[in-house]
Amino acid sequence: MVDQQTAGLALYQYEACPFCVKVRRAMKRNGLNIETRDVKRSDSAREELQAG
């Protein structure tokens, strides 16, 4: 049920960002399968974030 509720979510993040690290750890602790998109390495993710 939780996977269905989080299916549309994505975390736009930087790999070394301390806030993003905390969020990723919390996601892992809680067993959340949320997609992560690295905006520093991916031009398409950066464009999606700016457009959204």
Side-chain angles (χ1 to χ4, degrees):
M1 184 169 133
V2 174
D3 286 337
Q4 291 174 347
Q5 293 175 338
T6 60
L9 298 178
L11 174 65
Y12 291 87
Q13 50 105 32
Y14 292 114
E15 191 69 30
C17 168
F19 302 106
C20 298
V21 170
K22 286 183 178 188
V23 172
R24 287 194 310 267
R25 286 181 183 164
M27 288 170 29
K28 187 173 183 174
R29 254 193 329 269
N30 291 302
L32 301 175
N33 296 319
I34 298 174
E35 178 185 0
T36 58
R37 299 178 184 168
D38 193 339
V39 295
K40 201 168 195 176
R41 295 182 185 183
S42 172
D43 289 335
S44 62
R46 186 179 310 119
E47 291 169 3
E48 288 174 14
L49 182 60
Q50 289 174 340

